[in-house]
Structure formats: structure tokens, C-alpha cells
Amino acid sequence: MSVLNNSEVKHFLLIGIPGLEYAHTWISIPIFLMYLIAIMGNCIIIFVIKTESSLHEPMYYFLTMLAVSDMGLSFSSLPTMFRIFFLNAMGISPNACFAQEFFIHGFTVMESSVLLIMSLDRFLAIHNPLRYSSILTGGRVAKMGLMLAFRSTALVLPFPFTLRRLKYCQKNLLSHSYCLHQDVMKLACSDNKVNFIYGFFVALCTMLDFALIVVYYLLILKTVLSIASLAERLKALNTCVSHICAVLIFYVPIITLAAIHRFAKHKSPLIVILIADMFLLVPPLVNPIVYCIKTRQIREKVLGKMVNLCIR
């Protein structure tokens, strides 16, 4: 559906799963179960780290930041996903759309930044374990957290303002279940060159984070290979497994979508939408599960809290 005259668009239309509109109500059940588990899982991670003094260490502070960014992604996309799949309401006002894309992109940049800092944390813990605590003090970790929040906000703050200056007069059908900057700007009937250039710059910053993560892991691998004992090598690498999983879960959908948009000549809208939805649904859902399973300290504290709750 699109506006056929030259009057300005009053609302945008989001999209669910093409061809399965009749089943949206049923599809909403597993989707919102995923949201519920993701939100509860990240809340548990934050609560356990906050209440257990033994977990007041840099690694767990960074994990708290990751959980906050995951929750931000969940809450940013939840309103439109609920309206589409449960209420079958596709419309969204331009201002609400601009606000949503600000929060989605903001928490995306924040998660990318946190994953980068976590890779630095793993490098310092393995490369220089004796000075690890003196380098990453509580004050420095707090400053890093503030810097990450400032960076993510500052990078995406121009997005809603640059989108508001555009005119939307013919097309109003978006290609996802939520608003994204690159999706909205394509609907404009005025010059969107500034949006394109700045959007590319922000995407470049995110990919730079990924490149630096790869560099840190190459340095980690170099350090691990210099360790004489095989058992110590495996022990060192095992501390990185959870973070590697988080990196793959976050970046693989982003890189896959970029590759599809760039190289696929006949891309399936269904595949694109499923990957895009997976990008916002899977990391917040899987990250708490992976860290609970692979991090013994987190697992023991979570199980301990659950046992105490059941006893009461």
C-alpha cells in the first residue's frame, strides 16, 4: 500500500512475515516467549552480579553492560512486534518510527562497543594477568561504561533529525517489522544524500569495532600459543568461549544482511525479514543462556539464588 498523491505521508506501514499474515497471531506466541525469556534472563544476570560481591570484577561489570544493551534492543523492538503479530496493526507515525530507530541503532552501537571492550578485557586477562586488576580498576570500568553510552548516543543522535527534514510523499511501506534508518530514508522523495553518507559512517564505526575485536583475538591467540602447557592454553581459551559466541550471534546476522543487500540479485523478502528479526531477537535471548552455561561463577550464583527462592 502506498500514498498515490504528492501529499506528505501521515504514517508508515511496517511488515510482518510475507505470506504468513493469516498465522501472525500464532507466530506471536513463540516470539513473545522469546522476548519474555530474554528480558527475564538479562534481568537475572544484572541482579546476580549486583547482589553478589564476589562478582564485582571488570569481566562481570562488562557483562552487565551487555545485558543492559540486550534489554534495550528487546524493549526497542517489542512495541511494533506486538502491534504487528498480536494486533495485526501495521501503521506507525513518523515521529514514533524515528524514535524507535534511534533506540534500536543506539543500543546496537552500544552492544557493538561493549563486545569490543570485552575483547580488550579478555586480552588483558590472558596477556597480563598479574596486572589485570590494577589496569581495569572499578573507576576505569565506570568511565568506560560512560564513554560507551556517550558514544552510542552521540553517533545515532543525528538520525531522527536528519530523517525528519526529509519529505515522504509517495511510498510508505517499510521492509521490516521495526524502523531502521536505512529503511526509512529510502522512502523519501527529497534528497537523502546526507542520510546515506552519515548512515554509512555509523555502519563503518560498527564494522571497525568488529575489525578491532578480530585484532584482539589474534593477539590473544598469539599469547596463548606462547604458553608451554597445553592444559593452560585450553584453560585460557575457555575463558573466551562465551564472548566469541556473543560476537558471532551479534555480527553474523549484520554481515549476512549486508551481503544479501549488496550481492544478492534476487533476494527473498522472507529471508531478509527473518534474518533482520533474528538480529534483534536472538542475541538478547541467547547471551544470558550462554554466559550461564559457560561461566561457572555465574551459573553457581544463579542456581544458588533459585535454590534459596524455592526453599523460601
Side-chain angles (χ1 to χ4, degrees), residues 289-307:
I289 297 172
V290 169
Y291 273 94
C292 282
I293 292 173
K294 292 300 298 179
T295 308
R296 178 180 56 81
Q297 294 88 338
I298 294 285
R299 183 175 65 252
E300 289 177 353
K301 298 301 180 184
V302 169
L303 290 175
K305 294 284 184 184
M306 292 176 66
V307 169

Side-chain angles (χ1 to χ4, degrees), residues 1-13 92 94 167-174 187 189:
M1 178 178 176
S2 62
V3 176
L4 298 178
N5 54 36
N6 288 327
S7 61
E8 193 166 347
V9 168
K10 300 300 181 185
H11 64 273
F12 297 120
L13 293 178
I92 183 172
K167 290 189 179 296
Y168 307 92
C169 49
Q170 290 185 347
K171 298 180 291 183
N172 68 344
L173 181 61
L174 297 167
L187 301 182
C189 54

Side-chain angles (χ1 to χ4, degrees), residues 6 10 17 38 51 58 84 92 123 194 216 226 233 279:
N6 288 327
K10 300 300 181 185
I17 300 179
T51 55
I84 290 169
I92 183 172
F123 169 68
V194 172
Y216 277 126
S226 66
R233 288 183 190 178
F279 161 64

